[in-house]
C-alpha cells in the first residue's frame, strides 16, 4: 500500500537532539530543587575558601580562578549521577538503546541538557563570585569565557564516567575517582587563561587549547558514552 | 609444523603455562636485582654534582619507566579483551593493574626521597611528578571500577573502556602539566650521546630488566589466582591436585 518510506514519522538527527534536550530540561524543571542544589553547592564551596585562608584581598585575587574552577569541577561531579540514573531505573534508557536512531546523538542530547542545567548556571554565577574575590572586569570576562569552553568538556567526560558506573554501589564517589583525573587538563588551561590575563600575558593559547579539547571531547565522548552504556546495560 | 597459537588463550591451559613460566621470570629477576644493585651501589662512581644521593636513580628511573609501560600494556590487553571478547586478556589486564600502581607508588616515593637532598623539598608541583601522581590515580580508578562491579564480564569491559580512555588521556595530561610548570631535570637517559657513566647505565638497565621480569612473574602468579577464582565452578579446577587437597 505504501511503498515510499514514511518521511513524516522519521526524525532528523537535529530533531532527535532537540527532543532529548527538551525532555531532559522539562524533567529538570519539574524538580527544580536538584538543579538549585548544585548551584548552591558551588556558591558555598567558593565562599568557604576566604573563610579558610583569611580575608587578605591580594591573596584572594590571586587564587580566585583556581577556587572557582575547582568548585565548578566538584559541583559538576555532584550532578553527574543524575544524568542517566533516573532513566535507568524507570527503563527509559533501555528503550533508548533499542531505538533505531543513533545512540550517540541521544547521548549528546543528554550531555547538552546536563550542561545547560549544571555548567551554564555555574558560568552565569561565576562573575558574581569573582567580584567577592576582587577580580578585575577583564579577568571576569576571561573567567566566563574559559568556563563557557571548559564546562561542556566536564559534562562530556563526566558522561562517560556516569555511564560506566551506572547502577553501582557507591557510584557517586566512584565517578569522581574516575573522572577527576581526566579533567585535569581542563582545569589547567581554564585557570591558566585567567592567570595569564591578570599578569598581562597572551590568553589566546590557553583558550585555543581549551577549544581544541572541547572539539576532541565533542567528537569522541558521545560515542564512547554510548558504548559504555551498552556495556552497563547488557 | 603448525603451532596452535590459540591453545593458550583458554584459561584452563594458560593456568598450567603460567605456573610453569612464573619461576623462570621470578628467579632471573631476583638475580638481576642483586647484580644491578651491586653495580649501582659499589661499582658505579660517585656523581660529581649530586654525590652519593644520586644512587636512588637505579630504582627510581626503572620504576617510573615500568609504571608507564605497564599502563600501556594493560590498556592493550584491555583493548584486546574488549574487541575480541577474550576472557584471558581481560584477566591479564586486571592482573597487571596492582603491579603498575605499585611501580607508580615506588617512583613517587623514591622521587620524594631524592628530591629532599637535591631540591630541598619532598615534593614540587613539577610536570613529571604531577603526571606520575595522576597516573597513580588512573590506576586506582581502574582497580576501583573493576572491584565495584560484581559481574566479572561487565567489570572487565567497563574497566577496559576506562583504561583505553586513560591511555588516550595520558599524553594530553602530560603535556598540559608540562606547559604548566617544569622544574624536573631533563632526561638523563638519551639514546645518543648520553651523559652517564657506563657503570651507571649498566646498573640502571639491569634493574630495569629485573623490574620487568618481576612484573611478568607477579602478573602470571596473579592471573593464576584470578583464573582459579573465576573458574572455581568448573570441572578442570575441581580436578586440580591443589584444589583437591
Amino acid at each position: 500500500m505504501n511503498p515510499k518510506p514514511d518521511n513524516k514519522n522519521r526524525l532528523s538527527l537535529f530533531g532527535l537532539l532537540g527532543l532529548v534536550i527538551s525532555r531532559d530540561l522539562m524533567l529538570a524543571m519539574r524538580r527544580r530543587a536538584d538543579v538549585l542544589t548544585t548551584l548552591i553547592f558551588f556558591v558555598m564551596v567558593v565562599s568557604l575558601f576566604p573563610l579558610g585562608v583569611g580575608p587578605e584581598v591580594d591573596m584572594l585575587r590571586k587564587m580566585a580562578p583556581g577556587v572557582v574552577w575547582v568548585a565548578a569541577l566538584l559541583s559538576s561531579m555532584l550532578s553527574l549521577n543524575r544524568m542517566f540514573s533516573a532513566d535507568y531505573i524507570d527503563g527509559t534508557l533501555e528503550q533508548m538503546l533499542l531505538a533505531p536512531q543513533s545512540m550517540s546523538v541521544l547521548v549528546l542530547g543528554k550531555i547538552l541538557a546536563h550542561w545547560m542545567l549544571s555548567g551554564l548556571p555555574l558560568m552565569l554565577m561565576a562573575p558574581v563570585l569573582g567580584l567577592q574575590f576582587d577580580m578585575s572586569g577583564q579577568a571576569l570576562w576571561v573567567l566566563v569565557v574559559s568556563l563557557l569552553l571548559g564546562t561542556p568538556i566536564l559534562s562530556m567526560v563526566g558522561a562517560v564516567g556516569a555511564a560506566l558506573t551506572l547502577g553501582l554501589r557507591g557510584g557517586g564517589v566512584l565517578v569522581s575517582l574516575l573522572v577527576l583525573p581526566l579533567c585535569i587538563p581542563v582545569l589547567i588551561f581554564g585557570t591558566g587563561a585567567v592567570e595569564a590575563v591578570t599578569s598581562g600575558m597572551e590568553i589566546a593559547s590557553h583558550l585555543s587549547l581549551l577549544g581544541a579539547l572541547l572539539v576532541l571531547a565533542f567528537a569522541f565522548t558521545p560515542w564512547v558514552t554510548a558504548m559504555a552504556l551498552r556495556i552497563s546495560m547488557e | 609444523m603448525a603451532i596452535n597459537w590459540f591453545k593458550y588463550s583458554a584459561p584452563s591451559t594458560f593456568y598450567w603455562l603460567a605456573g610453569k613460566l612464573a619461576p623462570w621470570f621470578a628467579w632471573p629477576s631476583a638475580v638481576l636485582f642483586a647484580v644491578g644493585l651491586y653495580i649501582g651501589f659499589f661499582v658505579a662512581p660517585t656523581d660529581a654534582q649530586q654525590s652519593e644521593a644520586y644512587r636512588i636513580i637505579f630504582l627510581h628511573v626503572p620504576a617510573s619507566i615500568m609504571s608507564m609501560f605497564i599502563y600501556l600494556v594493560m590498556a592493550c590487553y584491555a583493548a584486546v579483551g574488549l574487541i575480541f571478547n577474550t576472557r584471558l586478556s581481560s584477566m591479564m589486564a586486571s592482573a597487571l593493574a596492582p603491579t603498575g600502581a605499585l611501580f607508580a607508588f615506588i617512583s613517587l616515593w623514591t622521587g620524594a626521597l631524592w628530591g629532599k637532598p637535591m631540591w630541598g623539598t619532598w615534593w614540587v608541583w613539577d610536570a613529571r611528578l604531577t603526571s606520575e601522581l595522576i597516573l597513580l590515580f588512573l590506576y586506582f580508578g581502574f582497580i576501583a571500577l573493576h572491584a565495584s562491579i560484581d559481574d566479572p564480564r561487565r567489570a572487565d569491559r567497563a574497566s577496559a573502556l576506562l583504561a583505553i580512555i586513560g591511555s588516550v588521556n595520558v599524553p594530553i595530561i602530560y603535556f598540559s602539566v608540562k606547559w604548566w610548570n617544569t622544574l624536573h631535570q631533563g632526561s638523563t637517559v638519551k639514546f645518543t650521546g648520553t651523559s652517564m657513566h657506563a657503570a651507571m647505565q649498566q646498573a640502571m638497565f639491569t634493574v630495569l630488566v629485573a623490574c620487568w621480569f618481576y612484573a611478568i612473574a607477579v602478573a602470571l602468579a596473579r592471573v593464576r589466582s584470578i583464573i582459579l577464582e573465576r573458574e572455581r565452578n568448573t570441572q578442570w579446577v575441581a580436578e586440580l591436585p591443589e584444589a583437591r587437597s
Side-chain angles (χ1 to χ4, degrees):
Chain A
M1 286 293 285
N2 191 4
K4 273 189 282 182
D6 192 1
N7 277 326
K8 253 192 292 181
N9 292 335
R10 278 263 175 91
L11 263 169
S12 73
L13 284 182
F14 284 105
L16 178 71
L17 201 63
L19 267 182
V20 175
I21 294 175
S22 61
R23 169 180 173 274
D24 273 20
L25 291 182
M26 190 188 286
L27 281 175
M29 282 305 117
R30 299 264 159 85
R31 260 184 286 158
R32 285 188 205 102
D34 284 357
V35 180
L36 282 175
T37 321
T38 317
L39 193 60
I40 292 168
F41 175 80
F42 175 62
V43 174
M44 214 179 264
V45 169
V46 174
S47 316
L48 284 179
F49 272 86
L51 299 175
V53 299
E56 292 88 6
V57 176
D58 280 341
M59 191 170 62
L60 288 183
R61 200 185 298 130
K62 229 177 149 188
M63 55 186 276
V67 169
V68 172
W69 257 103
V70 170
L73 208 60
L74 293 180
S75 51
S76 79
M77 291 302 115
L78 209 62
S79 55
L80 276 181
N81 266 352
R82 281 209 311 275
M83 202 188 286
F84 299 115
S85 65
D87 286 347
Y88 173 65
I89 290 165
D90 68 10
T92 316
L93 203 56
E94 214 156 316
Q95 299 302 317
M96 284 180 169
L97 278 173
L98 292 173
Q101 282 86 10
S102 154
M103 188 62 194
S104 305
V105 177
L106 280 164
V107 166
L108 182 63
K110 292 194 80 69
I111 292 172
L112 289 177
H114 176 263
W115 175 73
M116 287 176 195
L117 295 168
S118 69
L120 195 61
L122 300 191
M123 190 190 91
L124 298 175
M125 201 64 182
V128 183
L129 298 171
L131 284 177
Q132 284 189 324
F133 282 71
D134 196 36
M135 286 170 78
S136 68
Q138 206 188 3
L140 285 178
W141 269 112
V142 177
L143 178 67
V144 170
V145 172
S146 73
L147 282 170
L148 176 65
L149 288 172
T151 44
I153 309 176
L154 302 184
S155 294
M156 288 175 184
V157 177
V160 182
L164 283 175
T165 57
L166 198 59
L168 297 184
R169 286 168 273 113
V173 187
L174 189 62
V175 75
S176 312
L177 194 67
L178 303 185
V179 172
L180 282 175
L182 302 177
C183 288
I184 287 169
V186 182
L187 176 70
I188 289 174
F189 296 130
T191 52
V194 186
E195 269 156 25
V197 75
T198 46
S199 54
M201 287 192 305
E202 189 61 44
I203 59 163
S205 59
H206 293 277
L207 294 180
S208 317
L209 282 166
L210 263 186
L213 287 179
L214 178 61
V215 172
L216 199 69
F218 186 79
F220 288 108
T221 49
W223 175 62
V224 177
T225 310
M227 206 147 68
L229 282 175
R230 290 225 163 79
I231 291 171
S232 297
M233 300 286 291
E234 69 191 12
Chain B
M1 191 182 84
I3 302 169
N4 184 7
W5 292 104
F6 295 106
K7 185 184 171 195
Y8 291 109
S9 66
S12 51
T13 44
F14 189 75
Y15 176 81
W16 174 83
L17 181 69
K20 283 272 177 272
L21 282 179
W24 286 97
F25 287 101
W27 285 110
S29 162
V31 173
L32 285 171
F33 261 121
V35 171
L37 291 179
Y38 175 80
I39 300 175
F41 282 116
F42 299 104
V43 179
T46 307
D47 188 80
Q49 291 162 12
Q50 307 193 354
S51 69
E52 298 295 342
Y54 89 96
R55 289 185 197 274
I56 205 160
I57 198 176
F58 300 124
L59 194 57
H60 176 71
V61 173
S64 314
I65 294 174
M66 285 313 293
S67 68
M68 287 175 245
F69 178 64
I70 288 179
Y71 195 89
L72 208 65
V73 175
M74 186 183 89
C76 286
Y77 270 121
V80 170
L82 191 64
I83 295 163
F84 299 110
N85 219 3
T86 45
R87 283 177 300 161
L88 190 62
S89 322
S90 309
M91 291 181 196
M92 276 305 285
S94 41
L96 280 167
T99 312
L102 176 73
F103 276 122
F105 181 75
I106 291 176
S107 158
L108 287 170
W109 186 259
T110 53
L113 290 178
W114 195 9
K116 185 65 181 167
M118 291 304 122
W119 299 330
T121 58
W122 297 107
W123 180 262
V124 285
W125 288 98
D126 151 83
R128 293 185 181 197
L129 274 78
T130 314
S131 25
E132 189 70 38
L133 183 66
I134 296 167
L135 186 67
L136 182 64
F137 290 159
L138 290 177
Y139 275 119
F140 284 159
F142 181 91
I143 297 169
L145 181 64
H146 203 282
S148 61
I149 304 178
D150 292 330
D151 173 23
R153 292 300 291 146
R154 186 189 155 188
D156 282 345
R157 296 159 68 88
S159 46
L161 202 59
L162 185 73
I164 295 166
I165 300 166
S167 62
V168 172
N169 245 279
V170 163
I172 300 178
I173 292 172
Y174 177 71
F175 281 106
S176 64
V177 183
K178 186 173 172 163
W179 293 328
W180 170 63
N181 184 7
T182 289
L183 182 85
H184 199 287
Q185 64 185 23
S187 237
T188 322
V189 188
K190 297 184 191 74
F191 288 103
T192 52
T194 176
S195 59
M196 285 175 76
H197 190 274
M200 295 184 191
Q201 266 186 348
Q202 283 165 8
M204 200 143 82
F205 285 111
T206 315
V207 177
L208 178 62
V209 176
C211 286
W212 198 355
F213 277 26
Y214 164 80
I216 296 174
V218 169
L220 287 176
R222 199 174 282 125
V223 85
R224 272 164 67 89
S225 317
I226 295 174
I227 290 173
L228 279 188
E229 195 183 335
R230 298 243 188 122
E231 310 262 298
R232 60 182 177 273
N233 295 326
T234 54
Q235 180 77 39
W236 72 268
V237 171
E239 284 168 5
L240 284 175
E242 54 260 48
R244 250 184 259 157
S245 57

